[in-house]
């Protein structure tokens, strides 16, 4: 079935982090339908290899296209860094990732040209953000900090304990030393602890996150392609690969909207090596 303006937008992440992208999209694009997939069975992505992430992301994107998706949003920095280009060569519908818009926004907002990045190990190791920032401003200085365990600490039952406070304090230390004035939250889970991060970075630092930037890009892309759903109120639904009850309980804490039922789906794996 060919995609039409009435078709849903497919969104995926390793877990609940992409909800920070989804809720911006729900606010900015009320008529659109959305299908969200959280890969909780494979979580976390931050310690996976690029090959594993490409194979799994392709399988998930195939499932989303099977649900009729007219556009796919990779609402995960780690999967974007490892798999976006691969997905774009595999599907006819537009596949959009995070990172590009945030890099540009960071360069635009930084006066000192000292930019901090907090992201997973895989994202920092890929060097993607560093390259994109430099492409926008060759004179920018990037302090990139890998934050192992932070997304997992957020995606558990009680994220606001002393352990996470300690983690945030430690991971932001290099950003204080470098006196950055702009910080990219380079993992879609991190806006869920934005206030903790804000307390630990230089007081005047601007925080840049994926949700707002990508929601704007999606709106422009759909409009230019004549694929915006013209009116009415869209719906949204959820699927995940792990325990649906656990996903629902954590997800409904973070999404600032009602959360319906969650379907359990095994998208499989495509060997792309
Ligand atoms: N939310 C994901 C990201 O934006 C990663 C978390 C993980 O699975 O390690 O990078």
């Amino acid at each position: 079935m060919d995609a039409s303006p009435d078709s849903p937008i497919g969104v995926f992440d390793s877990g609940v982090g992409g909800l920070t992208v989804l809720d911006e999209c729900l606010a900015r694009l009320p008529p659109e339908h959305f299908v969200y997939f959280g890969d909780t069975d494979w979580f976390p992505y931050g310690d996976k290899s690029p090959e594993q992430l490409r194979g799994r992301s392709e399988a998930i994107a195939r499932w989303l296209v099977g649900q009729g998706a007219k556009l796919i949003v990779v609402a995960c920095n780690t999967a974007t860094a490892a798999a976006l280009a691969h997905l774009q060569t595999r599907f006819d519908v537009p596949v959009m990732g995070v990172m590009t818009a945030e890099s540009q926004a960071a360069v635009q907002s930084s006066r000192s040209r000292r930019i901090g990045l907090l992201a997973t190990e895989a994202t920092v190791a890929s060097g993607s953000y560093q390259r994109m920032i430099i492409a926008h401003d060759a004179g920018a200085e990037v302090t990139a900090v890998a934050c192992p365990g932070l997304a997992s600490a957020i995606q558990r039952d009680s994220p606001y304990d002393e352990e996470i406070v300690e983690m945030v304090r430690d991971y932001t230390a290099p950003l204080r030393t470098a006196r950055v004035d702009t910080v990219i939250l380079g993992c879609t889970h991190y806006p869920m602890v934005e206030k903790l991060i804000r307390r630990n970075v230089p007081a005047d630092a601007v925080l840049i996150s994926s949700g707002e930037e990508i929601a704007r890009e999606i709106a422009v892309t759909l409009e230019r392609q004549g694929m915006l759903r013209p009116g009415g109120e869209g719906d949204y639904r959820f699927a995940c690969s792990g325990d649906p009850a656990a996903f629902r309980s954590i997800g409904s804490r973070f999404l600032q909207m009602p959360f319906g039922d969650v379907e359990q789906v095994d998208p499989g794996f495509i060997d792309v090596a």
Side-chain angles (χ1 to χ4, degrees):
M1 189 183 67
D2 281 345
S4 74
D6 243 352
S7 306
I9 296 172
V11 182
F12 78 93
D13 174 51
S14 58
V16 297
L19 297 178
T20 61
V21 171
L22 180 69
D23 72 14
E24 285 293 341
C25 292
L26 290 171
R28 181 172 275 265
L29 299 160
E32 296 296 336
H33 300 307
F34 291 89
V35 185
Y36 181 98
F37 181 83
D39 198 5
T40 45
D41 192 39
W42 262 53
F43 179 84
Y45 279 3
D47 62 7
K48 305 284 184 298
S49 70
E51 294 72 28
Q52 286 174 303
L53 292 169
R54 278 195 281 277
R56 183 66 166 186
S57 297
E58 184 174 340
I60 294 168
R62 197 172 278 188
W63 181 79
L64 289 169
V65 167
Q67 302 301 299
K70 63 180 173 185
L71 181 146
I72 292 172
V73 183
V74 185
C76 172
N77 294 264
T78 312
T80 297
L84 181 68
H86 172 79
L87 297 178
Q88 288 171 334
T89 64
R90 288 291 201 272
F91 296 95
D92 294 334
V93 297
V95 185
M96 299 178 59
V98 285
M99 298 180 109
T100 318
E102 297 96 281
S103 306
Q104 189 174 11
V107 166
Q108 285 165 341
S109 86
S110 176
R111 284 144 294 143
S112 67
R113 301 162 83 196
R114 291 189 300 272
I115 297 172
L117 167 69
L118 299 171
T120 65
E121 313 91 285
T123 299
V124 171
S126 74
S128 301
Y129 263 118
Q130 296 91 317
R131 279 193 297 278
M132 280 184 213
I133 293 168
I134 296 300
H136 289 294
D137 176 4
E141 271 173 50
V142 186
T143 304
V145 184
C147 309
L150 185 55
S152 305
I154 293 168
Q155 191 167 306
R156 71 180 175 210
D157 265 344
S158 57
Y160 302 113
D161 58 15
E162 200 41 44
E163 189 197 343
I164 202 162
V165 173
E166 279 297 313
M167 260 186 200
V168 170
R169 209 175 276 140
D170 285 356
Y171 289 145
T172 50
L175 307 186
R176 292 192 293 278
T177 308
R179 290 182 298 112
V180 301
D181 72 354
T182 302
V183 178
I184 300 177
L185 305 185
C187 168
T188 51
H189 282 71
Y190 300 171
M192 292 171 175
V193 292
E194 181 176 335
K195 295 206 169 68
L196 271 182
I197 294 174
R198 197 172 280 291
R199 270 169 72 80
N200 287 279
V201 295
D204 60 347
V206 175
L207 302 192
I208 310 268
S209 49
S210 311
E212 217 176 299
E213 304 301 331
I214 186 97
R216 202 172 293 140
E217 268 192 278
I218 294 167
V220 172
T221 303
L222 290 177
E223 189 180 358
R224 289 193 173 145
Q225 300 196 355
M227 290 294 271
L228 273 177
R229 189 161 182 262
E233 189 179 334
D235 54 39
Y236 51 93
R237 61 192 172 86
F238 298 96
C240 72
S241 52
D243 175 19
F247 181 81
R248 189 171 192 286
S249 133
I250 300 168
S252 51
R253 237 190 14 239
F254 290 119
L255 188 79
Q256 296 164 30
M257 305 248 178
F259 214 91
D261 289 338
V262 178
E263 181 191 355
Q264 188 169 22
V265 170
D266 175 8
F269 180 79
I270 292 166
D271 191 353
V272 295

